Amino acid sequence: MSTPSLQSFQDQVSELLLRHRSLIDVLSKTGQAGASVNRAVSKAITECGCIELHATKQKYAPGRNIAQNTPLLETHVEGELCENCKEVISSELGRNLFYMSALCNLLNISMEDVVESESQKCSTLGMFNLS
């Protein structure tokens, strides 16, 4: 089975979204889905313990540019997600994607166009994107 395109996924969401068709409902469900992702990652740290968070100040070497400092930056994550936590987080990310697609549908925005535009911006701005 091939991976569905963003457009086919967006079409599928449009057919399935029955209960929350109001823009306000979808906005609130998008926020709730994002919070569920955060909660699932937090539980992987605090309940399961398969990953640990060791957050410290990012260390930048003075006199170096961003490209030279990039290898010094840390994710602050230690360990690997266990299969259960990976499954739960993946499921929550999927729900998040579902409601993002629903939001795009309600506002007549193509997810493929959004991804293409963001990719072009990343290519153009490189390391300075979102900095």
Side-chain angles (χ1 to χ4, degrees):
M1 186 170 134
S2 66
T3 303
S5 70
L6 286 173
Q7 186 57 54
S8 64
F9 178 71
Q10 197 169 343
D11 294 342
Q12 183 181 24
V13 168
S14 181
E15 293 171 10
L16 295 174
L17 191 68
L18 302 173
R19 197 161 158 236
H20 303 288
R21 289 203 74 88
S22 163
L23 178 61
I24 293 172
D25 286 341
V26 171
L27 284 171
S28 67
K29 293 300 280 184
T30 301
Q32 183 181 22
S36 293
V37 170
N38 293 343
R39 180 71 179 137
V41 172
S42 297
K43 288 176 102 175
I45 297 166
T46 61
E47 288 186 16
C48 178
C50 58
I51 58 173
E52 295 180 359
L53 180 65
H54 296 275
T56 59
K57 179 180 177 182
Q58 291 286 8
K59 297 176 179 120
Y60 296 96
R64 289 186 173 184
N65 63 31
I66 293 175
Q68 293 167 325
N69 272 303
T70 299
L72 303 175
L73 302 178
E74 299 181 26
T75 65
H76 299 130
V77 177
E78 291 186 16
E80 297 287 327
L81 288 173
C82 68
E83 285 304 313
N84 182 58
C85 288
K86 186 179 275 191
E87 183 179 324
V88 170
I89 293 169
S90 293
S91 175
E92 296 298 348
L93 286 168
R95 185 173 303 140
N96 196 313
L97 187 59
F98 178 91
Y99 285 109
M100 184 189 325
S101 179
L103 185 58
C104 286
N105 285 338
L106 291 174
L107 298 173
N108 198 27
I109 296 172
S110 163
M111 286 181 68
E112 288 181 349
D113 290 347
V114 171
V115 170
E116 177 63 29
S117 176
E118 191 63 23
S119 178
Q120 287 177 353
K121 187 168 64 170
C122 288
S123 295
T124 301
L125 297 175
M127 270 190 223
F128 299 101
N129 186 48
L130 302 175
S131 60

